[in-house]
């Protein structure tokens, strides 16, 4: 690759379009181009143009105060330019620049309004892309591709770190460093994302744990509920169908007795009719009343009375029985908390006994305690029918009615006796009537016996019905719609209801302890869990991205290290060679400086800041630190012949220039760029040294293309092409060219 031409327009003193053409290498040697001309004619503006088109941003190096200062500012005879444009064209037939063009033109353009652009072969391009391309072709932007006027000893006065940057450029590792920088930025971004995601994870984690706990409680609740439901179904099913069967039996019994009562009642009614008819007949026949009629009437009244008493007694008895059934079914188990409370109360009372001195008070307390525990026990178990205390008024009434019934029986017997006495004296008919009446009474007594049985069964029936109704309500409440299934279909499997009931109670209490759980929790758990896994996946993705990027950086570091070590050693050797050549002896060397030696504080770039926010801060910071270059600076030691080793700033102006030239030459020899612009680097040299310098130039021309701005005859003599720069009254630079090796092909740069 070599420089083909340079075109300037509106750049500083080059107001009009000016083109410099360069000759191709001949026999492996690049022709040297010299630019000559009087002071102030614009020679250095020309080197500025090269610096500028390569992307230089430093206004100081461009000798301006603001970026627009590079645009031709006008003169007495000429108006100012609207823009500055510089294009540099390379022959890229050997594809040193990895791009599919055999000619590459890089253009930079700046307008007065501040707009600027970079072009690559006429198409807009990013500066970073152009810089990478140039770095790949070993064109250094900041360093030795363009050595400005008075800048040759710049490398001597710069700090060790600046020198290090210069050497990185010179050792050809720049392109790797650009890639490395991009990777580091990526690493930083990844670290930042990682930190963010990890923070989100730590925020979510506690919530997820609590949700998990709640969801497992919900699962436990579901298990208990299922077990309870199974037990309840067995329990209620068994109970329901036991009662149903019992009811069927009792109902049958009841209807049997009822039929019997009805049948016998109608027989009695027929008998009564017969007796009544006979009585009426007797009355008509024998008007004379011997008192029998009255007795008979009394007898009938007494019988009715007795019936009334019996009915009422049955009614009261039934009421008492029903009250017992109701008391039993209304019993509800005492809640556990109340039981504990009761037991604790009794225990506390017992403890209190120890402190009591008065015996009467102790007895009183014991009585109180006994009654409390009795009450508690009575509330713990379902009362049996005998335990239910019936209404004493009702009991008294039953007894009273019993006595009244017995009274009527006695009365009836007495009346029967007196009827018998009358009958002896009566006629045959009367005897017949009397027999009928006795039959009737006996029959009625028999009916009463059956009626009593039927009534007892009726009470049983009512009791069973009440119990079933209660069971049904309980079932509806506990089993909801499942209760319908139990009613609809006979449950074949019987369970031990007495053993099941406490277990049911235990499970109900357990459910009470677990408490209610919002079904929304499950939804939230699922969502949070999904989010957690997503973020967790992100973390591992980011971690592997970090690992990948770190690997790339490690590889680049290895490459950079290998290449710079090799180049550094060579540069050091060459430096010594050129130094000795220029000084005719002496010694010099380049020394690497570690971070500690440079005394630069290790902390502090923004990458570290991003890293510091991470959980594993130290580890990562350490890993980044480890990846950093240990060598951060370069020191130069130079001792001219016959002198003691001394500080660089004690060298004379010429010595400084010679040392710098030796160093620059060494760098060029080891890692030649495609071209080098030297702006009066030979200005401070004496005549003998000018010749030595010219000799070095000639030697290095085998490696690189020189564009040399000079006032020195010895230097000019080595040039193959000479450009003369002049400036007229209009303040505009003009270019004249003379091809010294082939005068006829000399081209004028004027257009
Ligand atoms: P020397 O031999 O003394 O180094 P030189 O040929 O290198 O001289 P330059 O430094 O290239 O001279 O030219 C400097 C001249 O360019 C100055 O006179 C300066 O006024 C002029 N100049 C710089 N910028 C502009 C601009 N934007 N417009 C017009 N003239 C400018
Ligand atoms: Mg100059």
């Amino acid at each position: 690759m070599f420089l083909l031409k340079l075109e300037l327009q509106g750049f500083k003193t080059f107001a009009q379009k000016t083109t410099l053409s360069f000759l191709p290498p001949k026999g492996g040697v690049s022709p040297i181009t010299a630019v000559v001309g009087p002071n102030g004619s614009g020679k250095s503006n020309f080197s500025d143009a090269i610096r500028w088109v390569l992307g230089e941003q430093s206004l100081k190096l461009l000798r301006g105060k603001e970026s627009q200062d590079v645009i031709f500012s006008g003169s007495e005879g000429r108006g100012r330019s609207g823009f500055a444009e510089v294009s540099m064209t390379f022959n890229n037939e050997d594809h040193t620049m990895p791009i599919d063009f055999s000619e590459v033109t890089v253009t930079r353009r700046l307008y007065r309004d501040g707009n600027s652009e970079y072009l690559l072969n006429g198409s807009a391009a990013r500066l970073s892309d152009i810089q990478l391309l140039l770095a790949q072709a070993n064109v250094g932007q900041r360093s030795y591709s363009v050595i400005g006027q008075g800048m040759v000893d710049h490398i001597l006065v710069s700090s060790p770190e600046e020198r290090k940057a210069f050497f990185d450029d010179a050792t050809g590792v720049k392109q790797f460093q650009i890639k490395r920088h991009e990777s580091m930025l990526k690493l930083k971004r990844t670290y930042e994302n990682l930190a963010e995601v990890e923070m989100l994870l730590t925020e979510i984690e506690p919530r997820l744990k609590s949700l998990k706990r709640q969801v497992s409680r919900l699962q436990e609740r579901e298990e208990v509920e299922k077990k309870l439901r199974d037990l309840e179904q067995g329990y209620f099913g068994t109970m329901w169908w036991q009662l149903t069967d019992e009811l069927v039996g009792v109902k049958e019994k009841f209807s049997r007795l009822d039929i019997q009562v009805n049948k016998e009642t109608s027989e009695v009614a027929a008998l009564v009719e017969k007796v009544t008819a006979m009585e009426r007949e007797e009355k008509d026949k024998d008007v004379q009343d011997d008192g029998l009629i009255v007795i008979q009437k009394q007898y009938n009244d007494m019988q009715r009375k007795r019936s009334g008493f019996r009915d009422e007694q049955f009614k009261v008895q039934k009421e008492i029985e029903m009250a017992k059934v109701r008391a039993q079914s209304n019993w509800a188990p005492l809640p556990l908390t109340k039981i504990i409370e009761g037991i604790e109360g009794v225990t506390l009372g017992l403890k209190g006994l120890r402190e009591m001195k008065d015996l009467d008070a102790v007895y009183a307390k014991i009585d109180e305690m006994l009654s409390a525990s009795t009450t508690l026990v009575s509330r713990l178990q379902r009362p049996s029918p005998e335990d239910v205390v019936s209404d004493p008024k009702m009991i008294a009434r039953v007894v009273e009615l019993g006595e009244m019934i017995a009274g009527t029986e006695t009365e009836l017997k007495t009346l029967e006796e007196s009827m018998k006495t009358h009958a002896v004296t009566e006629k045959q008919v009367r005897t017949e009537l009397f027999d009928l009446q006795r039959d009737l009474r006996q029959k009625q007594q028999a009916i009463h016996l059956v009626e009593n049985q039927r009534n007892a069964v009726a009470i049983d029936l009512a009791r069973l019905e009440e119990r079933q109704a209660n069971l049904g309500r309980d079932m509806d409440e506990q089993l909801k719609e499942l209760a319908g299934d139990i009613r609809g279909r006979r449950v074949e499997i019987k369970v031990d209801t007495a053993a099941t009931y406490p277990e049911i109670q235990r499970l109900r209490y357990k459910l009470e302890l677990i408490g209610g759980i919002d079904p929304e929790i499950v939804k939230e758990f699922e969502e949070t869990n999904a989010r957690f896994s997503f973020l967790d996946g992100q973390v591992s993705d980011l971690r592997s991205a970090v690992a990948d990027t770190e690997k790339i950086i490690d590889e680049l570091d290895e490459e950079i290290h290998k290449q710079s070590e090799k180049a550094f050693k060579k540069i050091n050797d060459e430096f010594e060679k050129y130094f000795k050549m220029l000084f005719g002896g002496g010694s010099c060397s380049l020394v690497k400086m570690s971070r500690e030696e440079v005394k630069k504080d290790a902390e502090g770039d923004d990458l570290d800041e991003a890293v510091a926010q991470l959980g594993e801060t130290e580890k990562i910071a350490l890993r980044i630190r480890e990846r950093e270059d240990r060598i951060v600076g370069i020191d130069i030691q130079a001792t001219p012949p016959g002198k003691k080793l001394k500080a660089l700033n004690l060298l004379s102006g010429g010595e400084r220039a010679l040392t710098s030239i030796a160093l620059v030459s060494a760098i060029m020899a080891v890692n030649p760029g495609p071209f080098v612009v030297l702006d009066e680097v030979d200005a401070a040299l004496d005549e003998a040294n000018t010749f030595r310098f010219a000799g070095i130039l000639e030697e290095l021309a085998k490696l690189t293309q020189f564009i040399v701005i000079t006032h020195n005859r010895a230097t000019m003599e080595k040039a193959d092409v000479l450009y003369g720069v002049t400036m007229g009254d209009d303040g505009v630079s003009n270019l004249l060219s003379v091809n010294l090796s082939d005068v006829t092909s000399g081209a004028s740069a004027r257009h």
Side-chain angles (χ1 to χ4, degrees):
M1 189 182 90
F2 62 92
L3 196 52
L4 263 181
K5 65 179 177 197
L6 185 74
E7 290 165 295
L8 306 89
Q9 189 176 358
F11 186 87
K12 290 202 172 178
T13 47
F14 293 91
Q16 61 219 339
K17 190 165 184 179
T18 308
T19 305
L20 273 90
S21 299
F22 304 96
L23 294 175
K26 204 187 260 174
V29 179
S30 297
I32 296 173
T33 306
V35 178
V36 299
N39 291 137
S41 59
K43 302 184 296 298
S44 294
N45 290 342
F46 167 69
S47 82
D48 289 342
I50 295 177
R51 198 190 282 284
W52 188 70
V53 73
L54 293 177
E56 181 60 66
Q57 305 296 321
S58 158
L59 294 171
K60 194 176 149 231
L61 284 175
L62 292 167
R63 301 186 297 159
K65 279 209 176 67
E66 48 184 290
S67 51
Q68 278 93 332
D69 283 349
V70 299
I71 306 172
F72 176 65
S73 59
S75 61
E76 269 177 35
R78 207 181 172 97
R80 61 180 197 167
S81 299
F83 67 93
E85 178 183 310
V86 176
S87 293
M88 205 175 195
T89 304
F90 296 93
N91 176 308
N92 190 40
E93 273 163 7
D94 59 1
H95 293 286
T96 308
M97 286 192 198
I99 184 173
D100 212 11
F101 290 103
S102 53
E103 252 182 42
V104 177
T105 302
V106 175
T107 305
R108 183 175 181 181
R109 197 182 286 154
L110 175 76
Y111 297 91
R112 279 224 177 266
D113 61 10
N115 278 331
S116 82
E117 56 191 347
Y118 290 91
L119 307 172
L120 191 65
N121 280 359
S123 307
R126 291 191 310 165
L127 173 61
S128 57
D129 293 337
I130 291 177
Q131 282 181 330
L132 181 63
L133 199 62
L134 291 169
Q136 282 166 333
N138 212 6
V139 180
Q141 295 92 55
R142 284 196 294 161
S143 49
Y144 59 91
S145 283
V146 179
I147 294 179
Q149 190 166 10
M151 298 296 284
V152 69
D153 65 351
H154 178 68
I155 189 168
L156 298 190
V157 298
S158 52
S159 69
E161 291 104 308
E162 285 171 326
R163 254 181 240 135
K164 168 73 166 58
F166 181 89
F167 271 88
D168 286 342
D169 212 346
T171 49
V173 296
K174 191 83 202 168
Q175 51 168 321
F176 302 120
Q177 278 176 331
I178 290 174
K179 282 185 191 158
R180 185 186 196 279
H181 181 67
E182 276 167 7
S183 297
M184 285 302 268
L185 286 179
K186 191 176 157 200
L187 189 63
K188 184 192 156 191
R189 276 197 305 275
T190 316
Y191 276 144
E192 281 166 354
N193 289 339
L194 192 61
E196 203 173 300
V197 175
E198 277 180 339
M199 208 172 76
L200 285 175
L201 269 185
T202 44
E203 274 171 13
I204 289 178
E205 209 167 9
R207 178 80 189 129
L208 185 66
K209 271 189 187 153
S210 122
L211 285 172
K212 213 179 225 162
R213 267 199 303 277
Q214 294 185 62
V215 167
S216 72
R217 253 177 61 214
L218 185 71
Q219 279 161 356
E220 195 195 347
R221 190 187 167 85
E222 276 167 3
E223 277 163 31
V224 173
E225 269 173 346
K226 181 168 184 320
K227 221 159 134 193
L228 179 61
R229 214 165 33 241
D230 290 349
L231 283 179
E232 280 177 338
Q233 267 178 295
Y235 173 80
F236 282 118
T238 308
M239 292 285 277
W240 180 265
W241 285 99
Q242 257 170 16
L243 274 175
T244 307
D245 290 349
E246 248 180 273
L247 263 171
V248 168
V250 173
K251 264 183 195 155
E252 243 168 50
K253 207 162 153 192
F254 176 81
S255 64
R256 218 169 44 236
L257 289 169
D258 200 40
I259 287 167
Q260 202 182 336
V261 168
N262 286 340
K263 191 176 142 238
E264 285 179 16
T265 306
S266 59
E267 280 172 18
V268 166
L271 211 55
V272 167
E273 216 169 276
K274 209 169 164 190
V275 170
T276 315
M278 274 181 91
E279 279 170 355
R280 205 177 297 126
E281 210 174 283
E282 280 303 303
K283 205 179 163 190
D284 291 346
K285 252 196 294 182
D286 185 5
V287 188
Q288 193 203 347
D289 182 12
D290 62 352
L292 188 60
I293 306 259
V294 176
I295 296 170
Q296 275 173 336
K297 195 180 176 306
Q298 282 175 343
Y299 186 78
N300 286 340
D301 287 347
M302 197 53 73
Q303 268 188 328
R304 257 193 303 281
K305 220 169 170 182
R306 188 183 58 179
S307 244
F309 289 155
R310 276 206 171 118
D311 285 349
E312 195 191 339
Q313 192 188 36
F314 169 68
K315 236 172 85 194
V316 175
Q317 265 171 338
K318 189 175 172 184
E319 227 160 82
I320 289 172
E321 289 304 316
M322 291 314 285
K324 284 181 183 174
V325 173
R326 269 195 298 276
Q328 260 187 299
S329 11
N330 289 343
W331 179 86
L334 209 56
L336 199 68
T337 45
K338 283 271 183 283
I339 297 173
I340 293 167
E341 215 170 84
I343 293 172
E344 277 174 351
V346 173
T347 317
L348 212 70
L350 285 174
K351 277 184 187 154
L353 284 178
R354 284 202 205 125
E355 275 112 59
M356 287 182 146
K357 297 273 179 305
D358 183 12
L359 205 60
D360 286 343
V362 171
Y363 287 142
K365 190 77 190 171
I366 287 173
D367 284 345
E368 185 194 315
M369 222 69 63
L370 280 176
S371 103
S373 70
T374 311
T375 314
L376 185 63
V377 169
S378 74
R379 287 291 285 119
L380 288 181
Q381 53 196 172
R382 188 184 284 274
S384 65
E386 307 87 69
D387 291 341
V388 178
V389 185
S390 306
D391 187 348
K393 263 191 233 152
M394 284 191 181
I395 304 245
R397 183 67 184 149
V398 170
V399 173
E400 192 187 351
L401 284 166
E403 278 164 4
M404 280 153 89
I405 290 164
T408 51
E409 295 282 0
T410 320
E411 286 281 320
L412 282 170
K413 273 216 179 90
T414 316
L415 286 170
E416 265 176 46
E417 284 306 316
S418 52
M419 278 197 288
K420 216 188 231 168
T421 320
H422 276 87
V424 178
T425 57
E426 290 302 311
K427 285 177 261 175
Q428 190 57 38
V429 181
R430 293 218 169 186
T431 314
E432 199 184 325
L433 178 62
F434 175 73
D435 286 344
L436 269 179
Q437 282 171 331
R438 199 187 46 212
D439 276 359
L440 179 62
R441 190 171 54 84
Q442 276 167 358
K443 204 127 213 159
Q444 277 174 329
Q445 261 171 346
I447 289 179
H448 282 313
L449 275 180
V450 183
E451 261 180 347
N452 277 348
Q453 274 180 51
R454 187 194 65 177
N455 289 349
V457 172
I459 288 172
D460 267 358
L461 191 63
R463 192 190 290 152
L464 283 173
E465 276 170 345
E466 174 76 13
R467 269 177 65 194
Q468 201 180 33
N470 283 334
L471 186 72
R473 271 196 297 279
D474 211 5
M475 211 158 83
D476 285 336
E477 196 181 304
Q478 302 292 347
L479 290 182
K480 310 275 179 294
E481 58 275 8
L482 283 176
D485 293 355
I486 288 180
R487 285 197 183 90
R489 195 163 6 95
R490 171 173 279 276
V491 176
E492 295 301 343
I493 303 155
K494 299 262 185 295
V495 301
D496 178 355
T497 52
T500 309
Y501 195 71
E503 181 64 8
I504 287 176
Q505 289 291 88
R506 196 183 67 79
L507 292 179
R508 282 185 186 156
Y509 176 62
K510 202 167 171 186
L511 279 185
E512 218 174 280
L513 284 185
I514 294 173
I517 292 150
D518 187 356
E520 283 290 304
I521 290 289
V522 180
K523 212 175 128 210
E524 197 191 337
F525 168 73
E526 274 160 10
E527 281 167 7
T528 311
N529 199 30
R531 184 155 161 69
F532 188 86
S533 335
F534 171 74
L535 289 174
D536 204 43
Q538 289 257 297
V539 165
S540 42
D541 285 356
L542 286 170
R543 279 193 203 283
S544 72
V546 164
D548 289 349
T549 314
E550 282 178 341
K551 188 164 169 270
I552 291 171
I553 293 172
D554 286 344
E555 284 165 3
L556 284 170
D557 280 346
E558 205 188 325
E559 187 65 39
I560 289 169
H561 182 73
K562 220 169 67 194
Q563 194 159 326
S564 70
E565 276 297 296
K566 215 169 85 190
F568 186 82
K569 202 186 161 306
K570 274 198 200 153
I571 290 171
N572 210 0
D573 292 348
E574 294 290 314
F575 179 36
E576 213 171 349
K577 184 186 110 185
Y578 286 111
F579 188 85
K580 286 195 164 115
M581 200 189 280
L582 285 166
F583 281 96
S587 68
C588 66
S589 75
L590 299 171
V591 183
K592 287 181 197 161
M593 292 171 81
S594 69
R595 187 175 299 280
E596 294 72 32
E597 285 169 314
V598 173
K599 286 199 177 69
K600 188 192 176 235
D601 222 334
E603 107 238 296
D605 58 26
D606 52 343
L607 181 67
D608 276 4
E609 262 168 46
V611 168
Q613 291 168 1
L614 292 176
E616 320 174 277
T617 320
E618 273 98 35
K619 260 191 269 167
I620 293 168
L622 217 73
R623 265 152 69 194
I624 287 199
R625 191 73 35 84
E626 271 167 15
R627 201 170 289 110
E628 276 172 359
D629 206 342
R630 301 290 308 145
I631 304 305
V632 297
I634 287 179
D635 194 24
I636 300 170
Q637 291 171 355
T639 314
K643 294 181 178 165
K644 282 201 183 118
L645 194 78
K646 51 183 176 181
L648 279 179
N649 53 9
L650 294 179
L651 292 172
S652 76
E655 284 171 336
R656 292 163 68 88
L658 288 170
T659 308
S660 306
I661 289 165
L663 188 53
V664 169
S665 303
I667 290 167
M668 279 187 241
V670 172
N671 189 30
F675 68 91
V676 178
V677 179
L678 302 175
D679 190 352
E680 296 194 42
V681 299
D682 53 4
L685 306 189
D686 59 27
E687 205 179 349
N689 279 331
T690 315
F691 281 104
R692 287 186 188 134
F693 170 70
I696 290 173
L697 267 191
E698 195 171 30
E699 190 190 312
L700 289 175
K702 290 173 198 153
L703 302 172
T704 190
Q705 188 177 358
F706 280 109
I707 297 130
V708 196
I709 298 166
T710 187
H711 291 297
N712 268 313
R713 192 164 295 276
T715 310
M716 283 181 222
E717 273 170 10
K718 298 290 181 194
D720 302 285
V721 183
L722 206 62
Y723 277 105
V725 184
T726 59
M727 183 178 276
D729 297 339
D730 56 358
V732 173
S733 299
N734 294 307
L735 200 65
L736 300 162
S737 98
V738 193
N739 188 340
L740 297 172
S741 58
D742 179 12
V743 179
T744 50
S745 74
S748 167
R750 283 298 292 265
H751 289 269

